[in-house]
Amino acid sequence: MDRKILRIRISVAVSVSALVLSAAAWGPGLDGRAGNGSDALRVLIGPGDGGETRSVRAAVRAWSAGSERGATVRVAADMPRQLSRQFANDSPPDVFAIDTDELAAYATRGFLRPYGDDLPGTERLDPVFVETFTVDGDLVCAPKGRAPDGVALPAGTASGSPPTTECWGVAAESADHEAAVDLVRHLTRSASDAEGE
């Protein structure tokens, strides 16, 4: 067999294998437009309940359709373990739900992109929430839940009481952090609308 043809076949086989491994890493059950491969934003959420998972997937699909950007959602069986493993492998999701107890550890290691300045309405957040989601002077996470005027706040949390909830993190390594932050804005608005019904 001609060496040039053999090299081409090997090159194609390696490329196909890389694509298969990439797809396997995110597995089945992905939502949102397929996009064009690496341009698709990746969203990782914890197991939660079925209703919350469906609402996140629906919100991501709606954002994807409106923005004409691909986005995929994966539900982690063991969120802390899978998220830490993906960061260790330099392949974190663009957007992910993170427990506030773990927020500082990820932020101080430089894993999170501060985006508070890009989130509308943060000036109306309760100071307790601002303190909870601020690390080294930067608001690094958007809390999940309802808030007036589209600002995300955990529903039913008394003022002056620190929230114990998840929030939306954006990976510092996200290839398109502007789209990732825009998706977070959409997710927090969708959660607010759902809880206000």
Side-chain angles (χ1 to χ4, degrees), residues 71-175:
T72 61
V73 177
R74 183 178 181 190
V75 179
D78 184 339
M79 184 67 174
R81 182 178 178 185
Q82 288 177 239
L83 186 59
S84 62
R85 183 188 302 153
Q86 289 182 27
F87 272 106
N89 292 335
D90 293 325
S91 61
D94 298 280
V95 176
F96 50 92
I98 184 171
D99 194 283
T100 54
D101 293 339
E102 302 168 348
L103 184 60
Y106 278 90
T108 54
R109 291 181 181 134
F111 291 159
L112 299 180
R113 180 177 295 277
Y115 62 87
D117 292 342
D118 299 320
L119 205 62
T122 53
E123 70 280 357
R124 294 186 295 278
L125 282 171
D126 186 300
V128 173
F129 291 96
V130 173
E131 181 179 355
T132 300
F133 298 107
T134 297
V135 179
D136 294 335
D138 293 315
L139 189 63
V140 296
C141 212
K144 294 165 72 176
R146 184 185 177 194
D149 299 321
V151 181
L153 283 175
T157 305
S159 178
S161 171
T164 53
T165 185
E166 288 183 321
C167 60
W168 291 114
V170 172
E173 297 179 14
S174 175

Side-chain angles (χ1 to χ4, degrees), residues 173-191:
E173 297 179 14
S174 175
D176 191 345
H177 69 274
E178 291 183 2
V181 171
D182 188 58
L183 174 55
V184 168
R185 281 195 290 262
H186 182 80
L187 288 167
T188 56
R189 281 197 303 267
S190 296

Side-chain angles (χ1 to χ4, degrees), residues 12-66:
V12 170
V14 169
S15 299
V16 169
S17 296
L19 288 171
V20 169
L21 288 173
S22 176
W26 281 86
L30 305 181
D31 288 319
R33 294 168 54 111
N36 50 1
S38 61
D39 287 343
L41 292 184
R42 298 181 300 162
V43 181
L44 185 66
I45 60 176
D49 61 54
E52 181 183 10
T53 299
R54 285 191 296 273
S55 67
V56 169
R57 285 180 162 161
V60 170
R61 280 196 301 269
W63 175 85
S64 185

